[in-house]
Structures are given as structure tokens and as C-alpha cells.
Amino acid sequence: MVLFHEDGEKEYRVTLEYDTMVTPEETLIDTASVHADIEQPIHSNVSRAVVMLGSILLVVAFISTGNLAVRRHDVFASIADQNAKVNIAVSPPRGLIFDRYGKVLAENIPSLDLLVVADQLPSDPGERAAEIRLAAAAAQLSPDELKHSIDEGITKEAIFYVARDLSKSQVAAIAQQYPKGFAIVPNAIRSYDDGSQFAHVLGYLGKVSREDMTRDPYYTLSDMVGRAGVESQYESVLRGTHGYVFFDRVSRQQGNVEPRPGSDLALYIDQDIQKTLYNVLYGVLRDANLKGAAGVVQDPATGAVLGLVSFPGFDNNIFSDDVSQVEYTRLFENASRPLFNRVVGGLYSPGSTIKPFIGMTALEEAVVTPSDTIRDCVSISVPNPFRPDAPHIFKNWKVDLGLFNLRRAIANSCNIYFFRVGGGLDNFEGLGITRIAKYLKKALADIILGIDLPGETNGFVPTPEWKLEARNENWFQGDTYNVSIGQGDLVVTPLWINSYISAIANGGTLFRPQVVHAITTPDGITETMDREILAELPFREEVIQEMRRDMEETTRSGTARELNDLPVRVAAKTGTAEVNDKKRINALFTAFAPSGNPKIAVTILVESSVANQGFAIRAAHEFLRWYFGRTASPSPTSP
């Protein structure tokens, strides 16, 4: 209510009207009205739900606590124990590698190494320096050099080696002082017998990389991994299972779990054959002042690789320790590529070593018979469609007169005979590139043979379709001539040459070249590698037998008659291939012996001589003279 006074002032008052007041009883009644605006009580169901949810949570918490404290006690105790320890993986001893007679080619020299665990080094600079001086004194190392190694290692890894192959006195001194952050770990140094002579067969070990660890969780930062040869090809077999060293942070005591060694390998490689092949080729290269060569020896009855060398080479023992910058440059930045395995990865024009194949193809296709002849091996003239007044002249490598049948053409390596047989001449059709390419491909000249060594490359067989697409050029008769004598765009590996020659020796079977003979686990279980047939030469038996006799003539009266003084008869084929814009040649020689009952097939290639000086024949002659003059070897045995 508002009251007005005479002086104009207002006065406000509150008046209660008792008939509109609400009593306490009416409050309870009004809650039932749909128009009520007074708070309502919580429903009893809600209270029960809250109580039930709380009970459930208490039960879950109780069960979880019991699970963590009782059922999974051992798990978490183990985790806690591990947190109190540093667990260092110990690389297992790699499997040993033996030759076919059980002679050790690769073994492990036990070693004790000094390891740094970065997070165990004192964080205080003064304390860390004191511990480093303590470790340096015990290990007989320079404190400054050790500090430098640690500072450098910490930037790359959490656990790393700072000294390897410690002496007994060093180990005893370190164990007595027990400097913080340092641990002595058992290890092994890979050692190769006559490493340079076996390097391209055995390969070498390299430090594991981040890429290796990403690809395969097996590896730890302290591991070594096979980088070439059988060390790489059989890495998963040779590497074994890690052991562990446990370093207790509290008690500063060590424990260990012994690693399990890898499986052993027995190779088909004959140590004596390998060494002799290497030494013979090395001597020829040294005398001729040449660098590049390749040689391979196989058992033609199985494809087993008895010897394999590639030049220039390297000593795989140098990788057992840190490689110096000088060695790194010599190996990895050398244009001669000493780590490259030329036997399996090198692509070369086969030169005249392809002529036995072309000859068999011509016999199989009835293009010629063994008695068909041509007169004189001098040159042929092929019309030039673009310049009729300037025909193409294809010459033989020497003037050789008389009648030439297939046998004399093989023995004397007559290019003119194979030009005519391969590419035709005048009214004589010849094989033509289509048939030549078909037979080469049937004999696997353009595919990988699958030798159990890394780095094998497939050969290449040119065709008219390829030339038109790749070079936008037509195929000419001269192209076929070049392929028919192993020149031009035809390239193969020395391994393929030896494999196809081995197939002639054994009657027509192409076997997969095999280096490893058997794998033996630490439990003594041995798995033997069986010979594997890849294909059959696409020739009839009588054709192959004819070529065996033709190749034998090469050492009777032909280009390899120097081998006539050997105690057995040898079937062979010589070859040369022009390289470097025809300024140099590669010399080749391939053979099997004895020709009547072949025991070995051998192929030699010597790179980049200035003229045909018979380097490949000389090396093969010396090797075969040794091989057939030595006393009998014992029967092959597994390690």
C-alpha cells in the first residue's frame, strides 16, 4: 500500500490479508496439483538405483584389486623386477660354416666386450667423469678417448660397446671396480679362414641398421647381420636366439640367460678347389696387370657349386671390427666394385661360348647336319639396303682356310660358319632371331637360376620386338649375326654359361646351382638339400652327344689345344667378347671334364684385356692340371 502525506512524501506499507495466507497443511495438499510450483520429493526408485550402482562399483573395485594383488601378482612383480634391472640382449653365436669335407670356413672367436648403459651413468657431470676415469683405468684405456666414445655413442644409442675383446686382466679389473653404467658382456668375433679367398661365397657381417630393426623385431642394436654371400642368404638360419644379461640397479649384481647358437651350414664348396681357383686367377690377373675376373666350378651331375671366385675381391675379416674410412672408401666407393659378385651378378656378352648352343639349335631345327660344310673361314659380305655400293663386311677373327663342318667350326671358333647358320646368307635361310631367342629362353638364359646367394641377375635375350620398342629401330640381319656369335645385345651371367655347359655334360638337365649342402641345428637335426631340376635343354639326346664330341675337338686340334697335356680328355669352348667400344676384350673359357664321364664343369672370365692373350685358357689349364693331378679327396661329410 502507498500513502501520500500533505507535504507530498510517499510512505510504503505492507498489508497482510489473512484470507489468502497458506497454512502448512495446505502446502502438502498443493503438491498434488498439476499447477503446483513447490519442489517435489526424489522418487524412491532413484535412490535405490544410486545405492545399487555404488555397490557395483565397490564390487568391481574389490575384484580388480584382488586381480592385481593376487592373480597377476607374479606379472607385476616381474615388471617391477625388470624396472629395477637393466636387461641387455646378448647376440647368440652364429652357426659355423663348413666346406663339403667338414673343414671350418667360418667360426666364432669368444670375446668379452665392455658395454655402456647410458641411463645408468651418473647424471652429475663430476660423478660421471669419475666413473669414466675408473672404467678407463680398469680397462687400460685413455680416459679422454673413452669419454669421447661415450659422448658420441649416447647421441646415437642407449646401449653401445666402447671396447671389444677385453683381456682377462682387463675383465678382472673392471669386475673389481664395477664402475656405474658399465657392463661386461660375452660376445663372439666372426672369423673366416682365408677370408679373401672365400669372401664372395661366405659374405660378411655388418652392424645392424635401424632399417633392419624396423623390418625384423628380432634384432637389437648390438647385433651383426649377414650382408652378402651365404651369411646373408641364410641369415635366419645362422643367427640363433638371443640371451640376456640382467644388471640389478640396487644390488649391482649380474645374472644371465645363455643364448642359443644358430644352425651350422655344410657347403658343397670344396676348400681346396676354392683356394686353387682363387690363386690361379689371382696369379693371371697379377701378371697381366688386370683387375676383373670371375670363375665358377660345378658338379654337372647335380648343379652343386664346388668353387666360386670374383675379382677384385676383399677380406671379409675386416668387417669383424669397425671399418676404417680408408677401407670403407676402398670397398664401397671403388669403381671396380670389389664387393660385387661377378659370377652371379655380372652380365657379359658370352662371345663364342654361345656357339655350342647355336650349333645344337641348328641341328635340332635341321638347318644343318653335322657333315654340312662351308669353304674358308675368312669373311662374308651382306648387302646394305641403304648404300648398295657399300656392303657390310663381317670378318672372322683370323684367316682360316679349308672346309668347315660343325665340329671344326666349334673347335676353331669359326665366326663365318655361325653367321651363316644363325642369320642366313644368300639363299641359305639360317635359324633367324625368332628361333634363336625361343631356344635361349627355353634354356633359361633370360631368367634367374635361383642360386642360394644374393645378387643373382637374369640375362637378356634381344628380339626384334624389343629393339623396335626400346630403340625405335628395325632388326637387321647383322643383329642376328652378332647374337649368333655371342655379341650384340645378348648378355648372360658366367653362372648361366657354366650351367648350360654342365647340362651338355650331363645329357641335357639344367640344375639349380646350389651352394649349401646341409643345415644342422644345435640339436643335431640335419636337413640335406636335394638337387633340383629347373629344365631340360630343348635338344634331342643325339644332338647333345654330337656337341659333346664337337667340344672335345677344341682341345684336340682347336683353340684350346694347350689342354692336350692333361691326363684326361676335356671338352671345351673358348670365347672372346669385345667391350669398351671394341678397344678391349673379355676372355672366356668353359669346359667339362673328363669328357666321357664329366666330374666338373668350369667357366673362367677375365675382363678387359687389350688383346686375345689367352688369359682365361691359361687360368683354366692351370686349374684343371691341378685338379686332375691331385690325390683323391675323402667323401663329403656333414659337419
Side-chain angles (χ1 to χ4, degrees):
M1 170 185 302
V2 181
L3 299 179
F4 294 90
H5 295 275
E6 292 180 356
D7 57 3
E9 292 184 2
K10 296 179 183 179
E11 181 180 353
Y12 295 89
R13 296 182 181 181
V14 177
T15 303
L16 296 177
E17 298 181 6
Y18 289 95
D19 58 342
T20 61
M21 293 181 64
V22 179
T23 65
E25 292 82 358
E26 289 176 312
T27 302
L28 296 176
I29 295 173
D30 191 52
T31 59
S33 170
V34 295
H35 304 291
D37 55 2
I38 298 178
E39 293 181 0
Q40 300 181 23
I42 298 175
H43 198 281
S44 58
N45 289 340
V46 176
S47 299
R48 284 195 294 269
V50 171
V51 172
M52 184 176 295
L53 178 62
S55 300
I56 292 172
L57 292 174
L58 287 173
V59 171
V60 170
F62 178 79
I63 293 174
S64 298
T65 302
N67 180 53
L68 296 175
V70 180
R71 195 173 74 86
R72 302 191 66 192
H73 171 270
D74 293 341
V75 174
F76 289 102
S78 175
I79 293 174
D81 183 58
Q82 291 179 19
N83 288 335
K85 295 179 178 179
V86 176
N87 301 329
I88 303 169
V90 177
S91 300
R94 291 178 73 85
L96 306 182
I97 302 177
F98 302 84
D99 88 331
R100 67 190 287 110
Y101 299 112
K103 298 175 182 176
V104 178
L105 304 179
E107 60 183 330
N108 306 305
I109 307 300
S111 169
L112 290 174
D113 301 339
L114 184 61
L115 194 74
V116 169
V117 184
D119 68 352
Q120 291 300 296
L121 291 170
S123 57
D124 179 76
E127 292 183 20
R128 175 176 294 194
E131 294 296 329
I132 291 175
R133 286 195 299 272
L134 187 65
Q140 301 170 24
L141 302 172
S142 164
D144 292 337
E145 291 181 2
L146 180 58
K147 182 180 182 304
H148 176 74
S149 297
I150 292 172
D151 292 342
E152 186 178 31
I154 288 176
T155 63
K156 301 175 182 178
E157 302 170 2
I159 300 174
F160 52 92
Y161 292 101
V162 290
R164 292 182 180 272
D165 197 21
L166 300 174
S167 66
K168 292 182 179 179
S169 61
Q170 288 173 306
V171 171
I174 294 169
Q176 184 178 9
Q177 298 296 334
Y178 220 97
K180 294 179 181 179
F182 294 85
I184 298 172
V185 177
N187 211 330
I189 298 172
R190 196 65 157 171
S191 177
Y192 301 100
D193 180 55
D194 297 310
S196 298
Q197 297 177 336
F198 291 84
H200 285 100
V201 173
L202 300 180
Y204 64 95
L205 301 184
K207 288 184 177 181
V208 70
S209 66
R210 295 288 181 181
E211 291 76 13
D212 295 322
M213 297 176 67
T214 301
R215 185 177 62 252
D216 190 340
Y218 165 89
Y219 295 107
T220 68
L221 286 171
S222 60
D223 283 332
M224 303 287 278
V225 61
R227 293 298 188 202
V230 295
E231 290 278 26
S232 173
Q233 189 75 20
Y234 290 88
E235 168 68 14
S236 61
V237 173
L238 289 164
R239 67 190 186 184
T241 304
H242 286 98
Y244 289 90
V245 171
F246 304 100
F247 177 72
D248 195 304
R249 287 186 171 100
V250 179
S251 66
R252 303 182 71 190
Q253 297 297 312
Q254 282 189 211
N256 66 289
V257 173
E258 291 294 329
R260 178 180 171 83
S263 297
D264 296 336
L265 299 182
L267 309 186
Y268 282 113
I269 295 291
D270 181 321
Q271 185 186 54
D272 294 337
I273 288 177
Q274 179 74 16
K275 287 185 175 183
T276 303
L277 184 64
Y278 179 95
N279 291 333
V280 164
L281 263 176
Y282 177 81
V284 168
L285 293 176
R286 180 195 57 208
D287 295 344
N289 196 28
L290 299 174
K291 295 180 179 179
V296 58
V297 179
Q298 288 177 270
D299 178 354
T302 64
V305 178
L306 308 179
L308 184 153
V309 297
S310 178
F311 288 92
F314 63 99
D315 183 359
N316 47 11
N317 283 302
I318 67 174
F319 293 96
S320 296
D321 202 350
D322 292 335
V323 179
S324 68
Q325 185 59 46
V326 173
E327 287 290 349
Y328 183 91
T329 301
R330 188 185 73 81
L331 293 173
F332 293 96
E333 299 178 8
N334 189 332
S336 298
R337 303 173 68 188
L339 297 177
F340 178 58
N341 187 336
R342 286 160 164 75
V343 174
V344 304
L347 289 177
Y348 302 90
S349 296
S352 294
T353 62
I354 204 65
K355 289 175 180 176
F357 192 92
I358 300 297
M360 290 187 293
T361 304
L363 293 176
E364 187 70 25
E365 288 290 314
V367 170
V368 295
T369 68
S371 59
D372 289 342
T373 61
I374 65 167
R375 179 168 291 280
D376 298 336
C377 193
V378 180
S379 66
I380 58 173
S381 176
V382 177
N384 184 343
F386 304 104
R387 293 185 58 188
D389 59 330
H392 293 293
I393 306 299
F394 292 86
K395 296 181 179 181
N396 191 43
W397 60 281
K398 70 172 184 174
V399 174
D400 208 352
L401 304 178
L403 293 177
F404 286 80
N405 60 7
L406 177 60
R407 184 164 301 176
R408 189 181 177 193
I410 288 289
N412 287 24
S413 203
C414 175
N415 287 347
I416 306 305
Y417 182 95
F418 289 97
F419 287 152
R420 183 175 181 274
V421 164
L425 181 66
D426 299 330
N427 296 325
F428 183 79
E429 181 179 358
L431 284 167
I433 189 58
T434 300
R435 284 192 284 187
I436 292 174
K438 180 182 74 172
Y439 276 83
L440 283 170
K441 290 181 178 182
K442 284 185 176 180
L444 314 183
D446 63 338
I447 71 168
I448 288 174
L449 299 178
I451 188 173
D452 51 339
L453 289 177
E456 184 185 358
T457 305
N458 58 287
F460 178 73
V461 177
T463 63
E465 296 77 16
W466 161 80
K467 187 180 180 187
L468 185 62
E469 180 180 352
R471 298 180 179 170
N472 197 27
E473 297 176 359
N474 292 323
W475 188 270
F476 297 108
Q477 188 176 25
D479 295 320
T480 306
Y481 282 177
N482 281 331
V483 172
S484 299
I485 63 167
Q487 295 278 180
D489 294 304
L490 174 66
V491 289
V492 295
T493 63
L495 181 66
W496 181 82
I497 295 174
N498 205 60
S499 294
Y500 112 75
I501 293 298
S502 294
I504 295 175
N506 68 39
T509 302
L510 281 162
F511 289 103
R512 184 185 302 281
Q514 192 73 29
V515 174
V516 172
H517 167 58
I519 301 172
T520 301
T521 69
D523 300 321
I525 300 172
T526 299
E527 176 189 0
T528 302
M529 307 300 175
D530 297 326
R531 66 180 186 176
E532 182 179 348
I533 296 175
L534 296 178
E536 298 289 335
L537 290 179
F539 308 119
R540 288 169 286 133
E541 181 181 354
E542 56 266 33
V543 169
I544 295 173
Q545 293 304 321
E546 173 64 31
M547 187 50 61
R548 287 164 62 102
R549 293 189 291 270
D550 295 344
M551 291 178 65
E552 189 176 330
E553 190 65 30
T554 303
T555 58
R556 289 182 184 274
S557 63
T559 54
R561 51 185 172 270
E562 295 98 322
L563 277 66
N564 250 330
D565 64 348
L566 296 177
V568 300
R569 182 58 58 192
V570 178
K573 185 71 195 80
T574 58
T576 58
E578 295 175 338
V579 294
N580 297 335
D581 298 324
K582 301 183 179 181
K583 294 180 180 179
R584 288 181 174 268
I585 66 165
N586 291 336
L588 298 101
F589 179 86
T590 187
F592 57 86
S595 56
N597 183 27
K599 300 298 181 184
I600 61 168
V602 56
T603 295
I604 303 289
L605 181 147
V606 177
E607 291 182 0
S608 298
S609 60
V610 294
N612 186 8
Q613 297 175 292
F615 294 130
I617 298 175
R618 187 187 311 173
H621 184 207
E622 190 172 342
F623 172 79
L624 291 170
R625 183 173 57 191
W626 165 83
Y627 182 86
F628 289 106
R630 67 176 183 168
T631 57
S633 298
S635 299
T637 57
S638 299

